[in-house]
Amino acid sequence: MSDPLSNPRQPVRDAGPSQDVVPAKSQPGLRGAAGKSGGDAKLKQRLQALRTRDSLTGLYNRAHFLRFLQSALRDAPADGLRALLYLRPDGFGAIDARIGPSASDELLAQLAGVCKDVLTERSLLARFGGTVFVAMVQREDPAEFAAIAEQLLGIIAGRIFESGSQSASLTASIGLVILPPTLQSADEAVSLAQSAAALARQEGGNRVQLEQPDEQETQALAASIRRQKRIRAALQNDGFTLAYQPIADLDGSTSFSYDVLLRMQGEGGEEVLPGEFLPVAEAAGLMPQIDRWVIRRAFAVAARRFAGGKKTRVFLRVSEATLADPEFSGWLGLEALAHRLDRESVVLQLPDAIVENRLPLVRELATSCRDLHLQVSLASAGPALRCQRLLDEAAFDFLVLDGRFVKEEDRGALGSLVDKARSRDIQVIATQIESAADLAQLYSLGVDYVSGFHVQAPEEEMVEGVNVSGPDTA
């Protein structure tokens, strides 16, 4: 692919959709339109436009932009420097909620027009997805990059965008990255610009954040991109595995409850623990896909055991991104029905930080789970007073206490917490149990279940017959 950015006499202009650009809703009529035009040339042009252009704004789409950027990064520019601009309007979700999706689309189209007016020469502009616009810009003087971005920012902030009877003022956060010649990956370049825009947004928005990464930062980003690619490959090729840690009943009876833990296969076949890849997956927006992978496979395991006459309960972690996914509850219901799960055989586990920040969504999920005969647990890392307050906010079936919290919390406060949970018919689980002394203390507090390496280490198969007896360990 040639690099028009390197030739100042051949500017790349995004003048909006040409007559060849056909909105997605018009696609069924392509064959008829081609017949009326008298040949295949027009059809080919329209298909090419559909492949490379965004139908709402007429700008290049994400896929075309990434292909162009990757090709351009392989060769150093003939003159000058390159920068990547990443623009996202501030608080657009609230505007969309106020004026509605149709008017919001019109505002985005107008915003695209502003970007096209400013980024005219030696620039390639695209709608990257949602409300995000990106541009690759080439200039001789690095100071020009910031000047262009500030100009764009000022025009956006100084205009009132209108659609029908609705209007809105906009500001934007712009991440601007001067691309080093050593950077060869389009994904890495976009990630740098995206991070800069996020920092601008954290600082209050309506600003430009300029980043010029050094070699060490570039290498760290490259490593992160490689990890993201491994995670994506694991999702596509079943490169994840599950491990099951038994949760034992402190009254001494045999329990068939298991904490489901995720593992990933490394490049050399080694086992990679979640602490090494889940932060990367979260930053890359991959947690909803990973959660669904885990849930679907755990449902299948629980259903097979139930069909074989073995009652099993599995505890499955749910991320904040999954909780915020508006399609998750519907998907969960379909999966539960498809697997014909035993009643109360699945517990969805929510960390206290997510519960505190997303209470309305937690309540909605708890209601959906009741209808599906699934259960919900609050996983708390303390302190006890915070945990007691959260128990009042939503309907939980289990309270899962972090082992470090249990060891460090005041005995009286911990006892009050357990008493409150039991008074609400909420069963209490203590994790990370390391010794018989821990078991004795937990039994005296009235904890129902325990898990940890002292009880049983996680295994790829569900270990059966695990039991402990609290009084005997005293």
Side-chain angles (χ1 to χ4, degrees):
M1 185 180 297
S2 62
D3 182 5
L5 299 185
S6 64
N7 187 348
R9 297 179 183 174
Q10 297 179 3
V12 174
R13 299 176 184 269
D14 269 305
S18 69
Q19 294 178 352
D20 294 334
V21 177
V22 181
K25 63 183 180 181
S26 302
Q27 291 181 33
L30 281 176
R31 184 180 300 276
K36 293 177 182 179
S37 68
D40 293 336
K42 195 67 173 178
L43 176 60
K44 291 180 180 178
Q45 290 176 357
R46 294 186 179 189
L47 290 174
Q48 177 63 17
L50 288 171
R51 283 194 293 267
T52 62
R53 294 275 181 172
D54 171 58
S55 61
L56 175 66
T57 63
L59 301 180
Y60 286 118
N61 59 27
R62 176 192 183 108
H64 178 78
F65 181 83
L66 286 174
R67 286 195 299 269
F68 179 90
L69 180 59
Q70 185 61 62
S71 178
L73 288 175
R74 294 193 186 103
D75 301 311
D79 54 77
L81 299 168
R82 290 178 179 142
L84 186 62
L85 182 149
Y86 186 104
L87 182 149
R88 184 173 187 176
D90 300 318
F92 199 82
I95 294 174
D96 179 73
R98 177 172 66 84
I99 69 177
S102 296
S104 294
D105 281 350
E106 174 60 27
L107 262 61
L108 287 175
Q110 294 178 27
L111 178 59
V114 172
C115 294
K116 286 184 282 190
D117 290 342
V118 174
L119 299 167
T120 54
E121 297 184 355
R122 305 177 70 188
S123 303
L124 188 77
L125 176 64
R127 183 186 182 197
F128 203 64
T131 62
V132 175
F133 299 89
V134 292
M136 182 172 171
V137 185
Q138 186 170 313
R139 294 293 188 273
E140 285 73 28
D141 184 353
E144 292 185 63
F145 295 128
I148 294 169
E150 291 288 356
Q151 178 190 5
L152 179 56
L153 208 64
I155 293 174
I156 293 171
R159 173 174 172 173
I160 295 178
F161 295 80
E162 300 180 15
S163 175
S165 62
Q166 305 281 357
S167 63
S169 297
L170 293 178
T171 61
S173 296
I174 295 179
L176 186 61
V177 176
I178 299 177
L179 302 173
T182 54
L183 189 59
Q184 299 292 308
S185 167
D187 288 338
E188 293 178 31
V190 172
S191 292
L192 284 169
Q194 182 180 21
S195 297
L199 183 57
R201 191 165 60 253
Q202 290 170 10
E203 295 293 329
N206 194 28
R207 60 172 288 164
V208 176
Q209 181 66 38
L210 175 63
E211 297 291 339
Q212 189 169 4
D214 58 25
E215 190 66 24
Q216 184 176 2
E217 290 174 332
T218 302
Q219 291 176 357
L221 179 61
S224 176
I225 294 296
R226 288 194 296 271
R227 286 194 292 269
Q228 288 184 29
K229 289 181 178 178
R230 286 201 294 271
I231 295 169
R232 294 180 191 276
L235 282 167
Q236 294 174 359
N237 305 315
D238 278 343
F240 291 114
T241 59
L242 298 180
Y244 306 92
Q245 186 162 33
I247 299 173
D249 195 327
L250 262 181
D251 68 3
S253 61
T254 300
S255 171
F256 293 97
S257 296
Y258 299 88
D259 187 11
V260 179
L261 306 171
L262 182 64
R263 305 287 188 259
M264 186 175 77
Q265 297 173 9
E267 290 180 327
E270 73 281 7
E271 183 179 81
V272 183
L273 297 178
E276 299 180 50
F277 64 86
L278 285 187
V280 177
E282 184 175 4
L286 297 173
M287 286 309 302
Q289 297 177 54
I290 291 176
D291 285 347
R292 291 189 183 204
W293 189 97
V294 172
I295 290 170
R296 184 179 287 117
R297 277 149 184 81
F299 276 16
V301 170
R304 284 197 303 269
R305 288 177 62 86
F306 175 62
K310 298 179 179 179
K311 187 175 178 63
T312 303
R313 177 184 284 133
V314 290
F315 285 73
L316 307 174
R317 290 163 176 76
V318 174
S319 68
E320 184 171 4
T322 291
L323 184 65
D325 181 357
E327 298 180 355
F328 174 66
S329 291
W331 176 88
L332 183 69
L334 291 175
E335 289 294 322
L337 291 173
H339 286 91
R340 299 181 180 180
L341 296 169
D342 185 24
R343 296 171 64 92
E344 301 180 349
S345 62
V346 172
V347 183
L348 300 185
Q349 186 166 303
L350 299 167
D352 49 12
I354 293 178
V355 173
E356 196 166 43
N357 294 333
R358 298 281 196 164
L359 265 174
L361 294 178
V362 170
R363 293 180 182 127
E364 289 178 14
L365 179 64
T367 299
S368 297
C369 285
R370 290 286 181 278
D371 295 339
L372 297 169
H373 304 297
L374 308 180
Q375 296 180 301
V376 180
S377 71
L378 168 65
S380 180
L385 288 176
R386 175 198 190 195
C387 187
Q388 287 202 42
R389 176 170 55 82
L390 292 178
L391 289 178
D392 292 329
E393 300 294 343
F396 297 104
D397 302 284
F398 290 88
L399 172 61
V400 180
L401 302 178
D402 182 89
R404 288 166 294 185
F405 161 44
V406 170
K407 291 178 181 177
E408 296 170 2
E409 185 59 84
D410 174 77
R411 292 291 99 180
L414 193 60
S416 297
L417 172 60
V418 174
D419 288 343
K420 179 172 184 174
R422 292 174 67 89
S423 71
R424 294 170 175 260
D425 293 326
I426 298 173
Q427 300 180 78
V428 182
I429 302 170
T431 66
Q432 302 177 34
I433 304 306
E434 299 175 353
S435 68
D438 292 339
L439 291 176
Q441 291 180 343
L442 293 169
Y443 184 86
S444 66
L445 287 170
V447 169
D448 299 289
Y449 300 92
V450 292
S451 70
F453 278 82
H454 180 72
V455 178
Q456 173 67 48
E459 299 288 350
E460 291 185 5
E461 300 293 334
M462 291 182 173
V463 177
E464 300 181 4
V466 175
N467 60 69
V468 293
S469 178
D472 293 340
T473 62

